Amino acid sequence: GVPEALYYNGWRKDGVGYVNKSTIQKNSEWIGKHKVYIAKAYGERGSFPYLVLAKPFLGERNSCCTETYLMVGPFPNKELAKNVAEAPPMRPKPLSQDDLLGLFSADITGRDYVLEPATTVDMMGKDTVIKKSLEVVYDKV
């Protein structure tokens, strides 16, 4: 058959090789679908402001990638995959402590557990003795 495009980050300058579909052992059902690839690890070599993540790129149908990339998708059509690849980064809304804890609630995760605050023993490996502070606090100037 026709070899599939294989995106990788490594020894070849262009980052695209080809592999027979029969040699792909994992997620081979995604090969014929549209997807977006982004480098799993990224080191900025450009100028400030530095990117935290590499620029995503469109993975055409009949392609796959090595573990050096993360695959986003698959998508039902090229237009949606292209929109995801070109979408500007968004800053998430900051969450309160209660909202953050809500992300891990048992009804959402399906687990039966309770989050408890860490103790000094958890954080330091031993109990600590509370000592009076040497700091002087002035009520009036």
Side-chain angles (χ1 to χ4, degrees):
V2 177
E4 312 302 325
L6 173 69
Y7 293 95
Y8 60 91
N9 196 356
W11 54 274
R12 288 194 50 188
K13 195 173 189 177
D14 59 6
V16 180
Y18 295 91
V19 63
N20 286 326
K21 187 175 182 178
S22 62
T23 62
I24 300 169
Q25 299 177 6
K26 190 173 179 184
N27 303 319
S28 59
E29 67 276 10
W30 295 345
I31 293 171
K33 299 183 179 184
H34 297 281
K35 53 206 136 301
V36 172
Y37 297 122
I38 186 166
K40 191 183 275 189
Y42 183 69
E44 178 64 53
R45 292 185 187 97
S47 59
F48 185 82
Y50 300 114
L51 298 174
V52 175
L53 296 174
K55 184 172 173 44
F57 63 94
L58 186 62
E60 297 289 341
R61 292 177 63 206
N62 299 320
S63 71
C64 58
C65 67
T66 64
E67 291 180 351
T68 57
Y69 288 100
L70 298 173
M71 192 275 295
V72 181
F75 300 100
N77 57 57
K78 184 176 183 174
E79 182 181 4
L80 182 56
K82 185 178 175 190
N83 288 343
V84 169
E86 295 174 357
M90 303 290 290
R91 287 185 182 257
K93 181 186 109 190
L95 297 175
S96 69
Q97 184 175 358
D98 289 337
D99 291 335
L100 286 170
L101 289 175
L103 294 174
F104 302 100
S105 64
D107 62 323
I108 292 174
T109 61
R111 297 184 182 114
D112 187 24
Y113 66 90
V114 176
L115 292 175
E116 297 177 3
T119 65
T120 54
V121 174
D122 296 328
M123 295 185 289
M124 302 175 73
K126 61 181 180 178
D127 274 323
T128 57
V129 178
I130 306 295
K131 298 179 182 177
K132 286 188 174 187
S133 173
L134 296 176
E135 179 182 354
V136 178
V137 178
Y138 296 94
D139 291 331
K140 297 179 184 179
V141 178

